[in-house]
Amino acid sequence: MESGRYSNIKIIANAKIESLKGQAGNYNVTVLKRPRYVDEDLCTACGTCVSYCPVEMPDSYNEKLVNSKCLYIPYPQAVPASYVIDPKYCLFQTKNECRQCEQACKDLKAIKLNQQAEHIDIQVGSIILAIGFDEFDARRKKAYGYGEYPNVITSIELERMLSASGPFTGKITRLSDRKHPKKIAFLQCVGSRDIETNAYCSSVCCTYAVKEAMVAKEHDPDVDITIFYMDIRTQGKGFESFYERAKTKFGIKFVRSRLASLERIHESENLLFKFVTEDGKHHSEEFDMAVLSVGLEPSRTAKELADTLGVKLNKEGFCQTNEFSPTSTNREGIFVAGAFQSPKDIPESVIQASGSVALASGFLSEVRGTLVEQKECVAETDLTGEDPRIGVFVCHCGVNIAGVADVKKIREYVETLPDVVYAEQSMYACSKDNQDKIKQIIKEHNLNRVVVAACTPRTHEPLFQETIREAGLNRCLFEMANIRDHCSWVHANEPQAATEKAIDLLRMGVAKARLLSPLKEETVPVIPKGLVIGGGLSGMIAALSLADQGLECVLLEKSKLLGGNLRGIYYTLSGNDPQKLLRDTIDKVTSHPKIKVFTEADIKEVTGYIGNFLTRFSIGQEEQTISHGVIIVATGAFEYEPKEYLYGENESVITQHSLEEKLALKNFNSDDLKDVVMIQCVGSRTKEKPYCSKICCSQAIKNALKIKSIKPNSNVYILYKDIRTYGFREEYYRKARNEGIIFIRYDDNTLPLVKEENGELRVEVFDPILGENILISPSLLVLSAGVDPGDNRSISKLLKVPLNFEGFFLEAHVKLRPVDFPTDGVFVAGLAHSPKPIDETIAQAQAAAARAAIPLTRGYVMVEPVASIVDSEKCFGCGICEYLCPYGSIKVISDEDGDKAQSISASCKGCGICASKCPRQAITMGRFTNEQIIAQIDAFSLATSDV
Amino acid sequence: MEEGKESSGSNWEPKLITFLCNWCSYAGADLAGVSRIQYPANTRTIRVPCSGRVNILYILRALQHGVDGVLVSGCHPGDCHYLSGNFSARRKFAVLSRLLEYVGVEKGRVQFSWVSAAEAGRFAEVITEVTEDVKKLGPAKRLVKNSD
């Protein structure tokens, strides 16, 4: 939606690349734009044509669970928000008859049944490939009966069923009898980790299955859900606690097993699962519905596109990249992001998207700004002397709101409120066509305030503010009522209470809106320099990305040497040389003219705000101060120091890091490697440290394989909870098993027991396959110690950025803004954000640099008009405000009128502490004045809610 | 005045106002929504930049006008987006609590809590607890101005 609105992004939908000529920096791309048979500039998406269209076809967006017309908009938020005709079904395209839609649209003439394909030539300097993935076709696993047994569905179909705006309005439905299933089984790894189909792990299916199961439970708490799996791989940030909640709070059953068969029971159309658990026992259980957690495959267009562009694919059919340059293809100037590179989840995709932009932007930095279109700025309408004329838009959000609250009733109520001159219901208030409509209605009804009742202002306020600004209204003449996140979603079973609450919230919003006044927007210049805190891999890559984009930056490292944790990594699973990466990166960083490196630097103070930060740091006795526009936090993390399993007491108990160093530096004797036991999840997935450290499984397998290559007859045992070699790392897990590395699973009830007897180590562990305890006397016991965030509290306080429960930095939005902090101008990358391997660290560092480069290259930032305003008539100069202000943004100034407080709006953050403590009520806050808040209170408390 | 005000019969539902700081508690409430965690529908939210923005007069005003309970929720101590706004709020509310006690407003009618952006479950729990507490206390009467 945002990209559709952005003047420097041109979206060509329904298109493919036909040919590529030229070279990096000067590519000539020929695009074939297929006819959509609707003029997207003329179409207003009113939908009248749809009711005339007589042809139905399976609705692909809804996984073909229902039909749509062959004249359709694929999904509500689609850009362009314009209809399209499917020529395979359209009667005119197939039989040269019908033309009903043309008639329906005879005023606008947006239907163009004779539209032809266009060939468009575009000159570009660089290309980013983000073609995504296709879901695995479950029909290929014949034994599961998909497509044949009606109640076997895919996880993607379930996702649509669970969607409130989906084909069954959020109700899980058996396709055989339209009943709600009471017993559902999920089957994991369908088309993943399977040598018959795709050997790799699709990375996301465990987490999405857990999510779907939880949502299904929320819809119907009585539904019984079992997930059949091999390993649960919830390795992403925050996902492990999600999995724990699914087990403990939601009562979802997880059964580690192999499926022997899935049979259809014809009478009931139920499904009989026959499966074998770890202990070798056979079971069978009947379910009402089976959900196949299908994997991610390369897009079906990947091959053709790769051939056209001369880009190489890997053996799995995804875009080939190197571990150390995860967003670069083999062709210069062509970059890749998202699931086309490898199966990945939303945050990883967003990170790569920004990361690839950093590279493309660096590649094009010399010509930056040359082809940019400046947005026309509409003059603000002067409202002096005008009475409020409020327009209210009540959003259905599909059925997210309308499925619970009575939107019509809310709208009718709102119409009765004072100063409301217009009210309407919107299917999706945030859709692009609705923005145009809001602008049009502002003009038609001469509105001077707008209230939208929809979702949360934290995500959507800027969009609507932009819209009303385009219609000539000051951004501050806008108010939102959160009737989704705070209402329909959380009172889903109380439609009447939800409707009443929504009405109250709107009345309060309108009461506030009546008192809104326009506030001036200021711009503040940006110092075009970045500060990167931390000189590990992520910090160095972030600094290099900024510098390669032509921006100056300062890199502060608190220790003597650059490199951080990378210094202790000697080889990788896929055979790359991290020490070479270390040397090369340090060389580049230290020799780059745009980067200034300070080691042994200790940050003392950070003041200022986006565009104008001032950082004071010391190096030994000396202090320095630098000014800069943005900050990237790349402070890294540590290997957890184990307190368990005799670590520190017996010298044969070491961590994976020390093992790697020993192996790499050949600092061992042959007997050391005779019998090696590795214990996974030491300092991860425990009570004290509940998160998954993501990298340790791969690390253990990497080191185990290394041991096998050094000493093939050694015995290596890996004691694990789940092996999480996600993505293409699965190949090495398979290899490890093939090479005879022994994997023994344990869980919290069967923790391995480590003892020392007569100076010898003894490890006792229950083997669930044998069903008995086994005893090993290892020559080395290697603990896969997790990633410890260390103590980030002081940096967190200095920069005013939050930490999560585990002590890692907490980003602004875990899915959509994975490298931003809520504080503008501050970004995060690398292990400081969460545990991650080298490739993901590099992508995230590039992403942080790309995000940080936005204000730096633009040269200015807009200051939110939230600052405090002092009424000097009322102020008597007591100075309480100056004393309390955390930013030194309000000062008492003495002049001939006496002592009066003055606000410094450029650094004021708008917290309002001064305003709430002012004994004379002399201070008010931009968008949160006393009068406005009191109006909200009164609008609720004084009203009789007889609705 | 409303009918429900006169008695605390079984149909009576308390009216609550919650002041939520934009950065932590409001975000926590959003996350409760995204996570579809259900809680009682008695509260109406007023978004403020910081718990430190909440003027004591707002709370008194609400109680005077017949709101049965008020919750102010901000970032955890030390996590304030504005560094010290929540401490400022805490000091202020410590004083307010004593004042309310003095004038005879029952304990539990005005509550303060810390809920972070990540604590969706905690948010729902706090709302449930406050609603239950106020339900037990019955309609607020002590400060209500007799507007009839």
Side-chain angles (χ1 to χ4, degrees):
Chain A
M1 296 299 288
E2 215 179 317
S3 45
R5 293 166 59 85
Y6 199 74
S7 60
N8 285 305
I9 298 176
K10 185 174 164 62
I11 296 176
I12 305 174
N14 209 15
K16 71 167 192 173
I17 294 186
E18 278 186 314
S19 72
L20 176 75
K21 294 193 189 81
Q23 64 271 320
N26 194 14
Y27 281 124
N28 193 340
V29 186
T30 308
V31 174
L32 170 76
K33 187 181 177 195
R34 300 184 193 92
R36 69 189 294 134
Y37 307 106
V38 176
D39 186 323
E40 56 196 78
D41 295 324
L42 294 179
C43 174
T44 61
C46 70
T48 313
C49 53
V50 179
S51 52
Y52 285 80
C53 176
V55 187
E56 291 207 337
M57 62 171 196
D59 179 352
S60 303
Y61 177 65
N62 279 316
E63 290 289 308
K64 304 184 179 169
L65 292 168
V66 284
N67 284 344
S68 69
K69 293 292 180 66
C70 79
L71 175 56
Y72 66 107
I73 288 185
Y75 44 91
Q77 297 90 340
V79 177
S82 135
Y83 279 86
V84 54
I85 291 172
D86 190 327
K88 289 196 296 294
Y89 290 88
C90 172
L91 288 178
F92 180 77
Q93 306 299 338
T94 52
K95 298 185 179 133
N96 204 11
E97 50 195 47
C98 185
R99 310 190 84 140
Q100 293 280 328
C101 49
E102 257 182 351
Q103 272 304 307
C105 196
K106 62 177 184 295
D107 296 332
L108 279 170
K109 297 194 173 53
I111 305 278
K112 306 281 181 202
L113 290 173
N114 293 312
Q115 201 176 48
Q116 298 297 312
E118 275 180 79
H119 302 271
I120 306 169
D121 284 327
I122 310 170
Q123 299 282 329
V124 295
S126 169
I127 299 170
I128 295 172
L129 308 176
I131 60 169
F133 66 91
D134 270 312
E135 65 186 82
F136 173 76
D137 180 3
R139 282 175 191 84
R140 285 167 61 197
K141 294 297 286 181
K142 284 211 170 54
Y144 301 153
Y146 177 75
E148 194 183 335
Y149 310 164
N151 294 326
V152 175
I153 64 168
T154 69
S155 49
I156 315 296
E157 286 171 324
L158 181 63
E159 183 85 31
R160 290 312 305 150
M161 284 189 186
L162 289 169
S163 167
S165 54
F168 304 125
T169 63
K171 295 186 181 71
I172 306 175
T173 305
R174 273 162 51 105
L175 296 178
S176 66
D177 52 13
R178 306 275 146 175
K179 283 191 182 142
H180 303 319
K182 284 290 169 198
K183 225 176 147 208
I184 304 175
F186 281 76
L187 183 61
Q188 296 305 107
C189 296
V190 176
S192 305
R193 302 184 66 187
D194 170 24
I195 39 174
E196 281 175 24
T197 56
N198 299 310
Y200 57 86
C201 161
S202 292
S203 300
V204 300
C205 325
C206 286
T207 306
Y208 79 54
V210 170
K211 177 198 79 174
E212 287 183 357
M214 282 165 74
V215 176
K217 272 277 196 187
E218 277 167 355
H219 285 222
D220 177 6
D222 297 330
V223 66
D224 181 290
I225 299 179
T226 307
I227 297 183
F228 293 98
Y229 72 100
M230 295 196 270
D231 294 279
I232 287 293
R233 294 185 169 172
T234 45
Q235 67 277 345
K237 186 179 187 179
F239 295 164
E240 182 67 17
S241 60
F242 205 61
Y243 169 41
E244 277 304 313
R245 254 178 75 205
K247 280 192 289 190
T248 51
K249 291 252 163 72
F250 284 75
I252 292 160
K253 283 173 252 169
F254 289 84
V255 178
R256 192 184 294 267
S257 57
R258 287 280 178 178
L259 189 71
S261 72
L262 195 167
E263 291 163 22
R264 175 186 194 174
I265 303 170
H266 278 276
E267 307 81 71
S268 59
E269 285 298 354
N270 284 353
L271 301 147
L272 188 67
F273 274 63
K274 291 187 175 163
F275 57 97
V276 187
T277 44
E278 260 177 319
D279 51 14
K281 290 199 177 113
H282 289 253
H283 309 258
S284 70
E285 197 172 346
E286 200 176 316
F287 291 91
D288 300 346
M289 181 184 249
V291 180
L292 307 180
S293 292
V294 288
L296 276 52
E297 287 196 330
S299 163
R300 316 234 192 278
T301 61
K303 180 83 178 59
E304 191 190 339
L305 180 74
D307 288 346
T308 310
L309 300 183
V311 163
K312 278 190 191 142
L313 301 180
N314 65 14
K315 64 176 185 293
E316 290 85 5
F318 292 87
C319 185
Q320 191 177 78
T321 54
N322 182 284
E323 193 178 8
F324 297 159
S325 51
T327 52
S328 301
T329 69
N330 59 301
R331 266 197 93 166
E332 198 188 5
I334 302 186
F335 307 100
V336 59
F340 181 35
Q341 190 256 346
S342 70
K344 58 175 61 67
D345 59 15
I346 296 171
E348 288 304 329
S349 301
V350 175
I351 286 170
Q352 276 204 343
S354 292
S356 64
V357 165
L359 296 187
S361 173
F363 190 69
L364 301 175
S365 63
E366 281 174 21
V367 291
R368 176 180 292 124
T370 49
L371 295 170
V372 171
E373 256 177 53
Q374 286 300 335
K375 198 169 181 176
E376 246 181 88
C377 197
V378 186
E380 256 180 46
T381 321
D382 183 16
L383 302 175
T384 323
E386 272 187 36
D387 288 332
R389 292 180 59 80
I390 303 173
V392 181
F393 297 83
V394 188
C395 182
H396 286 229
C397 196
V399 294
N400 281 302
I401 294 167
V404 178
D406 184 342
V407 176
K408 180 165 170 277
K409 194 168 168 186
I410 297 169
R411 196 252 306 148
E412 285 167 358
Y413 174 81
V414 168
E415 285 171 344
T416 67
L417 292 172
D419 295 333
V420 172
V421 294
Y422 182 87
E424 83 159 30
Q425 295 162 231
S426 321
M427 186 46 76
Y428 288 94
C430 62
S431 67
K432 189 169 180 286
D433 59 315
N434 201 52
Q435 305 314 302
D436 295 334
K437 190 159 186 204
I438 292 175
K439 283 189 264 183
Q440 184 197 330
I441 286 166
I442 289 174
K443 294 224 167 75
E444 269 172 28
H445 294 263
N446 206 13
L447 302 178
N448 57 23
R449 310 276 190 288
V450 172
V451 177
V452 173
C455 51
T456 171
R458 297 182 70 257
T459 55
H460 278 69
E461 195 173 57
L463 171 85
F464 294 114
Q465 286 183 310
E466 187 64 24
T467 300
I468 69 162
R469 181 66 193 78
E470 285 168 13
L473 290 182
N474 181 280
R475 267 175 245 268
C476 297
L477 298 169
F478 177 76
E479 179 62 18
M480 260 185 114
N482 189 341
I483 62 167
R484 189 189 71 181
D485 306 42
H486 289 196
C487 189
S488 65
W489 274 354
V490 291
H491 313 307
N493 307 318
E494 303 169 86
Q496 193 180 339
T499 306
E500 281 171 22
K501 181 169 177 177
I503 282 175
D504 285 345
L505 291 172
L506 248 171
R507 188 172 59 241
M508 293 160 75
V510 168
K512 181 174 179 182
R514 297 172 68 200
L515 300 171
L516 293 172
S517 54
L519 297 170
K520 206 172 142 242
E521 289 175 57
E522 293 177 78
T523 60
V524 174
V526 171
I527 299 162
K529 188 193 272 187
L531 171 71
V532 179
I533 305 174
L537 178 63
S538 55
M540 290 194 294
I541 296 286
L544 270 177
S545 296
L546 280 178
D548 286 345
Q549 293 181 71
L551 299 161
E552 270 185 52
C553 71
V554 173
L555 178 64
L556 298 184
E557 165 58 39
K558 71 174 174 202
S559 70
K560 282 195 175 112
L561 295 168
L562 292 176
N565 287 308
L566 185 61
R567 302 197 81 85
I569 306 178
Y570 295 91
Y571 44 88
T572 71
L573 264 180
S574 45
N576 288 300
D577 181 357
Q579 291 295 315
K580 185 172 181 307
L581 173 71
L582 175 72
R583 286 190 304 272
D584 291 353
T585 313
I586 292 178
D587 280 352
K588 280 188 213 158
V589 166
T590 48
S591 63
H592 203 297
K594 297 248 180 217
I595 303 176
K596 213 166 170 189
V597 179
F598 293 96
T599 50
E600 294 181 272
D602 184 18
I603 299 182
K604 299 290 183 197
E605 190 187 29
V606 182
T607 56
Y609 46 92
I610 179 172
N612 296 273
F613 287 108
L614 202 64
T615 297
R616 186 161 60 83
F617 60 96
S618 67
I619 297 164
Q621 298 301 315
E622 255 179 77
E623 279 211 353
Q624 290 218 28
T625 304
I626 50 164
S627 49
H628 51 98
V630 295
I631 303 172
I632 295 174
V633 179
T635 48
F638 305 89
E639 186 182 48
Y640 167 74
E641 193 182 328
K643 294 172 191 66
E644 44 278 85
Y645 303 124
L646 302 182
Y647 182 78
E649 292 169 44
N650 184 310
E651 60 182 22
S652 299
V653 183
I654 60 173
T655 64
Q656 288 289 359
H657 251 96
S658 339
L659 172 66
E660 183 166 338
E661 191 179 279
K662 269 179 193 292
L663 297 176
L665 306 179
K666 306 206 164 39
N667 185 13
F668 57 87
N669 62 50
S670 177
D671 281 348
D672 287 346
L673 305 184
K674 199 165 149 285
D675 295 288
V676 181
V677 171
M678 297 182 178
I679 302 181
Q680 297 305 107
C681 295
V682 177
S684 304
R685 304 179 68 188
T686 61
K687 261 210 181 76
E688 296 74 32
K689 299 226 166 252
Y691 57 91
C692 165
S693 291
K694 201 173 191 181
I695 56 175
C696 333
C697 286
S698 303
Q699 203 180 13
I701 285 170
K702 173 180 90 171
N703 289 340
L705 285 168
K706 190 79 174 177
I707 291 172
K708 279 288 193 185
S709 73
I710 295 169
K711 191 177 161 80
N713 62 352
S714 63
N715 294 312
V716 184
Y717 305 84
I718 298 183
L719 317 187
Y720 72 102
K721 285 183 164 178
D722 292 279
I723 289 293
R724 293 184 167 173
T725 44
Y726 59 97
F728 303 138
R729 292 168 182 84
E730 181 68 7
E731 179 184 341
Y732 302 98
Y733 178 32
R734 183 167 295 110
K735 186 169 177 215
R737 284 201 175 256
N738 288 342
E739 293 201 4
I741 292 162
I742 298 155
F743 288 82
I744 302 170
R745 199 187 62 79
Y746 74 90
D747 58 37
D748 287 337
N749 302 319
T750 59
L751 290 175
L753 203 66
V754 176
K755 285 180 294 197
E756 196 184 296
E757 279 173 14
N758 312 323
E760 278 198 30
L761 278 175
R762 295 260 189 280
V763 178
E764 190 177 349
V765 64
F766 177 78
D767 184 333
I769 296 171
L770 299 176
E772 57 189 56
N773 282 2
I774 61 167
L775 197 65
I776 313 162
S777 304
S779 46
L780 264 186
L781 173 61
V782 186
L783 306 183
S784 292
V787 178
D788 189 324
D791 188 355
N792 286 321
R793 281 175 299 185
S794 66
I795 290 279
S796 155
K797 284 215 168 67
L798 275 172
L799 301 176
K800 299 146 221 156
V801 293
L803 298 174
N804 69 7
F805 283 128
E806 290 125 15
F808 293 98
F809 285 97
L810 179 64
E811 59 276 35
H813 190 292
V814 290
K815 298 231 182 300
L816 304 178
R817 293 177 63 193
V819 299
D820 303 2
F821 277 117
T823 309
D824 291 343
V826 191
F827 305 90
V828 64
L831 295 182
H833 164 271
S834 69
K836 55 176 67 68
I838 291 178
D839 50 347
E840 289 167 29
T841 298
I842 291 174
Q844 202 183 18
Q846 291 168 342
R851 299 286 297 165
I854 295 171
L856 296 183
T857 52
R858 184 181 288 150
Y860 65 88
V861 283
M862 302 283 275
V863 175
E864 285 272 318
V866 290
S868 57
I869 305 153
V870 183
D871 179 347
S872 56
E873 294 283 302
K874 285 186 186 165
C875 175
F876 63 166
C878 70
I880 290 178
C881 52
E882 180 175 338
Y883 171 72
L884 286 172
C885 178
Y887 304 101
S889 293
I890 194 161
K891 291 222 159 21
V892 175
I893 312 275
S894 304
D895 61 13
E896 62 268 29
D897 298 334
D899 295 347
K900 300 285 176 194
Q902 258 179 32
S903 172
I904 303 160
S905 59
S907 65
C908 174
K909 293 263 181 196
C911 62
I913 297 171
C914 55
S916 77
K917 283 280 177 80
C918 176
R920 296 290 294 260
Q921 311 291 326
I923 306 175
T924 194
M925 302 305 303
R927 299 187 58 210
F928 296 93
T929 68
N930 283 338
E931 293 73 23
Q932 289 163 3
I933 294 175
I934 286 170
Q936 283 178 286
I937 297 169
D938 291 353
F940 173 47
S941 59
L942 294 178
T944 46
S945 42
D946 51 347
V947 284
Chain B
M1 223 186 240
E2 287 169 66
E3 274 179 80
K5 281 270 156 258
E6 299 308 314
S7 70
S8 49
S10 57
N11 290 332
W12 175 75
E13 284 291 334
K15 290 168 82 164
L16 305 169
I17 282 190
T18 52
F19 291 97
L20 303 180
C21 82
N22 182 51
W23 305 96
C24 293
S25 297
Y26 196 95
D30 282 350
L31 189 59
V34 175
S35 320
R36 310 295 200 280
I37 302 175
Q38 306 291 306
Y39 54 80
N42 302 65
T43 59
R44 306 292 180 261
T45 296
I46 294 180
R47 184 167 71 119
V48 285
C50 175
S51 53
R53 174 71 188 95
V54 178
N55 196 316
I56 284 179
L57 296 177
Y58 303 162
I59 299 169
L60 296 175
R61 177 103 174 184
L63 293 174
Q64 280 174 339
H65 286 172
V67 169
D68 301 302
V70 178
L71 168 72
V72 180
S73 188
C75 309
H76 281 274
D79 278 348
C80 178
H81 183 75
Y82 303 106
L83 311 173
S84 58
N86 54 358
F87 285 123
S88 162
R90 191 161 70 168
R91 280 196 297 274
K92 202 157 47 184
F93 299 140
V95 176
L96 175 67
S97 299
R98 263 177 273 156
L99 172 77
L100 292 174
E101 199 186 328
Y102 180 71
V103 299
V105 171
E106 309 89 326
K107 205 169 159 17
R109 211 173 270 295
V110 177
Q111 299 196 24
F112 314 103
S113 70
W114 320 114
V115 174
S116 78
E119 292 174 313
R122 166 106 185 105
F123 179 79
E125 280 165 23
V126 168
I127 295 292
T128 310
E129 282 165 24
V130 174
T131 310
E132 287 306 313
D133 288 351
V134 175
K135 243 183 202 167
K136 279 185 206 132
L137 292 172
K141 291 192 175 134
R142 190 71 192 89
L143 293 181
V144 178
K145 279 186 181 167
N146 203 343
S147 52
D148 306 322

